[in-house]
């Protein structure tokens, strides 16, 4: 087990040690008489993780896999390039896949590409790398973020080739790229201004195969086994209900196939991240996306439980610009009301996965820059 560390942004005793737990009731955004009554126990099972983001359940090996974006550049001599907006990012081989089997944790894949941005004082402020992980017929599959264009990736050199792509990781840690999402966005994106790519969410679906939510491309993409990339849906700018005088982007961060076979997409929502403005879309390729559920803030992941109820993980329930960076794990009941499954103990959570019987694993501290991330175990009753 990794060495316990404290995440400074947390304000409860939850994070003081691995294994500490807290019991909390669920709270819905509707009439209390209609709220579901739940209790959630949160346990920190691992910490010291390097920017944990997406997460997957590896049923064959009965373990959780966590995508660690890494810590970026390891030395001043690292190759660098300018991402979208002009920020300078530098490359390191510090990304990894962390595995937790319920008793022990270890990094089962290391040396994955990771890029970091530092401020004028040389302090790292952002890290991008492997953003999500799934388990498919070919083994471990991942998607790498980038937040930039072709010249940016080229400037990072051979070590950064996998960025902006999906890939399969072999038994010996070798990375085989499959779908070049950046290339597709540069030459096929229907948004003329969106020539860059920052793939974030990854799903393996029975109907559409590999599907990726590209946050910078404002779309979801299908990656076929031969590497061909196809547009499944795009999300244009819109007027936020919170401010009719503004225009924001839909920034998809997560995608999953629902019980009805349609795709469901969770979005961060665009800057300045109005509270309650993020939505979950229902997508049938070939048709315009429709809003399935709304009233969320900065969604980082979505899914469905065994009863077919929507689950939503918010990176910051008050918005990424708010000093309080507490997240929220919420369930949408069959009548549309929302029940909080967890808030206390979540600070910038990145992804979740069900392990069955009311047990969920959640990555915590996805906006850190290395060494401060956590893996949480949530046991929900009710």
């Amino acid at each position: 087990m990794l060495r316990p560390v404290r995440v400074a942004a947390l304000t409860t005793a939850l994070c003081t040690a691995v294994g500490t737990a807290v019991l909390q009731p669920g709270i819905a955004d509707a009439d209390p008489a209609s709220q579901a009554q739940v209790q959630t126990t949160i346990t920190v099972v691992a910490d010291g993780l390097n920017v944990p983001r997406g997460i997957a359940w590896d049923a064959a090996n009965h373990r959780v896999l966590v995508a660690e974006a890494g810590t970026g550049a390891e030395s001043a001599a690292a190759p660098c390039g300018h991402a979208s907006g002009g920020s300078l990012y530098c490359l390191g081989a510090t990304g990894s896949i962390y595995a937790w089997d319920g008793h022990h944790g270890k990094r089962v894949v290391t040396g994955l590409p990771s890029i970091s941005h530092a401020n004028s004082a040389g302090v790292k402020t952002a890290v991008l790398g492997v953003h999500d992980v799934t388990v498919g017929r070919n083994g471990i599959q991942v998607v790498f973020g980038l937040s930039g264009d072709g010249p940016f990736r080229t400037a990072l050199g051979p070590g950064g080739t996998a960025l902006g792509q999906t890939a399969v990781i072999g038994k010996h840690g070798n990375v085989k790229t499959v779908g070049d999402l950046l290339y597709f966005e540069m030459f096929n994106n229907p948004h003329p201004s969106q020539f860059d790519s920052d793939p974030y969410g990854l799903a393996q679906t029975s109907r559409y195969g590999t599907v990726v939510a590209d946050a910078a491309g404002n779309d979801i993409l299908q990656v076929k086994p031969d590497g061909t990339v196809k547009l499944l849906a795009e999300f244009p700018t819109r007027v936020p209900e919170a401010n009719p005088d503004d225009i924001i982007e839909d920034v998809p961060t997560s995608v999953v196939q629902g019980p009805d076979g349609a795709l469901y997409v969770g979005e961060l929502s665009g800057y300045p991240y109005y509270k309650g403005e993020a939505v979950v879309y229902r997508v049938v390729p070939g048709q315009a996306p429709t809003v399935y559920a709304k009233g969320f803030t900065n969604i980082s992941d979505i899914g469905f439980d065994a009863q077919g109820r929507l689950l939503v993980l918010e990176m910051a329930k008050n918005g990424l610009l708010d000093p309080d960076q507490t997240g929220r794990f919420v369930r949408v009941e069959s009548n549309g009301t929302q029940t909080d499954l967890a808030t206390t103990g979540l600070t910038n959570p990145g992804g979740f996965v069900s392990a069955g019987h009311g047990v969920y694993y959640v990555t915590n501290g996805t906006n850190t820059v290395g060494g401060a991330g956590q893996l949480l175990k949530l046991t929900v009753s009710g």
Side-chain angles (χ1 to χ4, degrees):
M1 188 179 295
L2 296 178
R3 178 179 61 84
V5 297
R6 176 181 289 272
V7 178
L10 292 181
T11 57
T12 72
L14 174 67
C15 63
T16 57
V18 170
T20 305
V22 63
L23 193 66
Q24 61 179 52
I27 303 173
D29 287 340
D31 180 356
S34 67
Q35 295 175 15
Q37 298 301 310
V38 303
Q39 289 185 327
T40 299
T41 301
I42 305 178
T43 306
V44 182
V45 298
D47 56 14
L49 301 184
N50 294 323
V51 193
R53 295 203 164 133
I55 184 171
W57 176 248
D58 182 0
N61 296 292
H62 200 75
R63 62 181 181 175
V64 173
L65 298 178
V66 176
E68 290 184 277
T71 59
E74 301 169 271
S75 73
C80 303
H82 291 280
S84 297
S87 297
L88 186 70
Y89 278 79
C90 299
L91 178 71
T94 56
S96 57
I97 302 296
Y98 178 86
W100 170 261
D101 66 5
H103 303 283
H104 304 93
K106 64 178 181 179
R107 292 185 173 100
V108 293
V109 179
T110 58
L112 301 177
S114 174
I115 54 176
S116 58
H117 170 67
N119 61 22
S120 58
V123 177
K124 292 179 182 178
T125 60
V127 175
L128 305 176
V130 54
H131 282 174
D132 206 356
V133 57
T134 64
V135 180
R137 289 178 297 179
N138 296 325
I140 298 175
Q141 296 174 299
V142 298
V143 65
F144 292 96
L146 181 66
S147 192
D149 56 14
F152 171 41
R153 186 169 68 183
T154 299
L156 296 172
T161 301
L163 296 171
Q165 300 201 56
T166 58
V168 175
I169 298 178
K171 294 182 179 180
H172 302 291
N174 55 302
V175 178
K176 178 184 178 182
T177 56
V178 180
D180 195 336
L181 309 165
L182 170 61
Y183 184 90
F184 178 87
E185 299 289 13
M186 287 181 64
F187 297 101
N188 299 281
N189 195 300
H191 299 285
S193 62
Q194 302 296 333
F195 55 84
D196 58 353
S197 179
D198 189 18
Y200 202 85
L202 176 68
Q204 297 299 325
T205 70
S206 60
R207 179 168 293 187
Y208 304 102
T210 302
V211 182
V212 177
D214 194 319
N218 297 352
D219 53 26
I220 55 172
L221 305 172
Q222 178 188 40
V223 180
K224 298 181 180 181
D226 64 358
T228 302
V229 179
K230 177 183 177 181
L231 177 70
L232 293 182
E234 60 177 301
F235 304 92
T237 57
R238 59 185 169 91
V239 176
E241 294 182 6
N243 185 355
D245 295 324
D246 201 358
I247 295 177
I248 62 172
E249 293 184 345
D250 281 319
V251 179
T253 53
S254 50
V255 59
V256 65
Q257 183 175 304
D260 60 351
L263 295 173
Y264 290 79
V265 178
E267 54 131 17
L268 192 73
S269 83
Y271 182 90
Y273 312 122
Y274 294 109
K275 184 176 180 178
E277 196 61 45
V279 304
V280 174
Y281 285 103
R282 181 178 185 272
V283 176
V284 176
Q287 302 177 21
T290 58
V291 175
Y292 178 76
K294 62 181 182 178
F296 308 102
T297 307
N298 294 147
I299 296 172
S300 57
D301 202 3
I302 63 171
F304 288 88
D305 67 8
Q307 288 73 47
R309 295 171 295 188
L310 176 68
L311 301 169
V312 177
L313 184 65
E314 296 178 336
M315 191 179 298
K317 68 177 184 178
N318 293 323
L320 287 169
L321 301 183
D322 192 275
D324 180 4
Q325 290 294 287
T326 301
R328 184 172 76 126
F329 188 37
V330 59
R331 184 176 69 203
V332 180
E333 307 296 344
S334 57
N335 63 2
T337 61
Q338 296 181 14
T339 299
D340 283 4
L341 303 183
T343 53
T344 301
L346 301 183
T347 300
N348 292 145
F352 75 90
V353 69
S354 170
H357 306 290
V359 174
Y360 300 91
Y361 286 91
V362 179
T363 57
N364 208 32
T366 197
N367 284 348
T368 56
V369 292
Q374 298 175 316
L375 177 62
L376 309 178
K377 179 182 178 181
L378 278 60
T379 303
V380 180
S381 60

